[in-house]
Amino acid sequence: MGRPTSRELVHRAIQAHTAIPSFNIPYLPMMSPVVRALRDTATVGMVTAARVEWKQFSPGSPRELFAAFEAYREEPLVRLHLDHIPVIDEDGERVDYLSYLAEALELGYDSIMVDGSRLPLGENIAATRAVVLLAARTEVAVEGELGAVLGHEAGPPPPYEELLASGQGFTDPDEARRFVHETGVDWLSVAIGNIHGAVAAATRNQPKVQARLDLEHLDRLREVTGVPLVLHGGSGIHREYLQEGIRRGIAKVNVGTSIRQAYEAAVGESVEAAQEAVYRVTLWTLEEELQVAGSAAALGICC
Ligand code: 13P
């Protein structure tokens, strides 16, 4: 049996009522402690970075991330994902998203994300469809986003309790049904109360608000979309909501801020100390927060 694709692993995760954690590494030395934590707990996971992280934290590119991952290419537990390539970015600028994503396909990424969520529905569908078509000749899974997972913008986010109570920016189920049907996307990132940790210089070091999830809304989205759902903003969500969300069909969870802040807090001492801090937070995330540690057996991955 060959190496299962990321698409296959995410499908297996749904069957097994677990989720694949995807760790954002804006600084390349974060990759090795994340992989070590996945290995030490026999957990299937992804490593990734988003364009906004190369703008805000440490310059990078799909090529550099891919090159850093070379050392782990044969690692059965870990896959490489390209996160958030926006069509319109957090500063309102148009991005040549197709070149980034075509490069990632060429390089051999396992999965990629196009983020058209700042576009009107029809344009998001068209942009996402274009990426699905681009990837169609490969085994690479495509993630799209519908709804507003806030937090990456420069300005202050709206007060969290208001956002949750009003459902502002939540993924609309009718739109989600149409989006999935018309794009053919593999995975859908949804907004159900989750927010991204801040990346703007003024706020990036602040503790993240403890988000909650509208689980009934999640159920409706699961029902109408029929594709694996992705939860962005995975750091710092109340544990009961996270774990219940996974039980109800979230198949991939993105985690960035908690490990990035751990790295930044310790890197002044040394890179090794920062890597150790990332390792500890990753372990805690896998074992305590998401409770996905040891998923390899349930996902049919042997090491
Ligand atoms: P957090 O930084 O809030 O964990 O979110 C990460 C993420 O969703 C990246 O796409």
Side-chain angles (χ1 to χ4, degrees):
M1 226 177 37
R3 179 182 163 90
T5 61
S6 288
R7 182 184 285 131
E8 172 63 22
L9 287 173
V10 167
H11 273 289
R12 289 185 195 177
I14 293 191
Q15 307 300 323
H17 302 285
T18 186
I20 311 256
S22 181
F23 291 98
N24 285 72
I25 50 158
Y27 306 101
L28 291 177
M30 293 171 68
M31 191 182 286
S32 79
V34 166
V35 173
R36 184 155 65 93
L38 290 167
R39 275 185 188 146
D40 288 353
T41 56
T43 308
V44 175
M46 298 178 188
V47 290
T48 189
R51 179 178 175 271
V52 69
E53 293 172 318
W54 296 323
K55 279 176 74 184
Q56 296 287 356
F57 301 114
S58 165
S61 66
R63 188 171 293 277
E64 282 168 63
L65 182 67
F66 187 84
F69 189 69
E70 265 313 299
Y72 308 110
R73 265 276 131 211
E74 301 305 317
E75 169 62 64
L77 296 167
V78 191
R79 298 292 183 277
L80 183 65
H81 175 71
L82 184 61
D83 195 25
H84 286 289
I85 299 300
V87 182
I88 305 280
D89 75 6
E90 53 296 331
D91 299 320
E93 303 290 335
R94 276 229 157 233
V95 175
D96 185 4
Y97 65 101
L98 281 175
S99 324
Y100 278 96
L101 295 163
E103 186 185 15
L105 291 174
E106 198 106 314
L107 286 165
Y109 272 71
D110 298 300
S111 54
I112 55 178
M113 179 190 188
V114 52
D115 176 2
S117 64
R118 294 189 182 91
L119 295 167
L121 178 63
E123 289 176 44
N124 188 357
I125 289 174
T128 306
R129 177 77 190 144
V131 177
V132 169
L133 291 176
L134 195 68
R137 62 187 163 78
T138 71
E139 296 278 351
V140 176
V142 177
E143 178 179 337
E145 180 164 297
L146 186 66
V149 183
L150 300 172
H152 279 167
E153 298 72 17
Y160 180 72
E161 289 305 324
E162 252 173 53
L163 185 141
L164 186 68
S166 66
Q168 184 197 332
F170 278 21
T171 308
D172 177 84
D174 291 332
E175 291 189 358
R177 185 204 314 261
R178 186 179 151 200
F179 184 86
V180 166
H181 180 71
E182 294 186 15
T183 60
V185 80
D186 292 286
W187 310 328
L188 181 66
S189 159
V190 293
I192 54 171
N194 45 320
I195 55 164
H196 287 118
V199 293
T203 44
R204 66 171 64 151
N205 293 328
Q206 288 172 8
K208 202 183 150 186
V209 67
Q210 264 211 306
R212 305 194 298 283
L213 303 176
D214 184 334
L215 295 166
E216 281 69 44
H217 201 85
L218 171 63
D219 289 342
R220 283 196 289 281
L221 292 170
R222 274 290 290 151
E223 254 172 58
V224 298
T225 59
V227 294
L229 300 182
V230 179
L231 187 74
H232 282 239
S235 301
I237 296 178
H238 273 276
R239 265 197 269 182
E240 329 62 282
Y241 286 88
L242 259 179
Q243 290 166 16
E244 185 58 25
I246 292 171
R247 270 192 288 277
R248 293 185 188 206
I250 286 169
K252 171 173 173 277
V253 181
N254 289 15
V255 175
T257 301
S258 56
I259 56 170
R260 191 235 334 139
Q261 288 182 340
Y263 183 88
E264 289 173 336
V267 76
E269 187 186 327
S270 67
V271 170
E272 292 70 28
Q275 288 178 312
E276 197 48 38
V278 170
Y279 176 74
R280 281 197 305 273
V281 176
T282 307
L283 271 190
W284 185 82
T285 304
L286 298 172
E287 290 173 339
E288 306 292 330
E289 206 173 28
L290 302 178
Q291 293 194 344
V292 296
S295 66
L299 299 182
I301 302 288
C302 168
C303 10

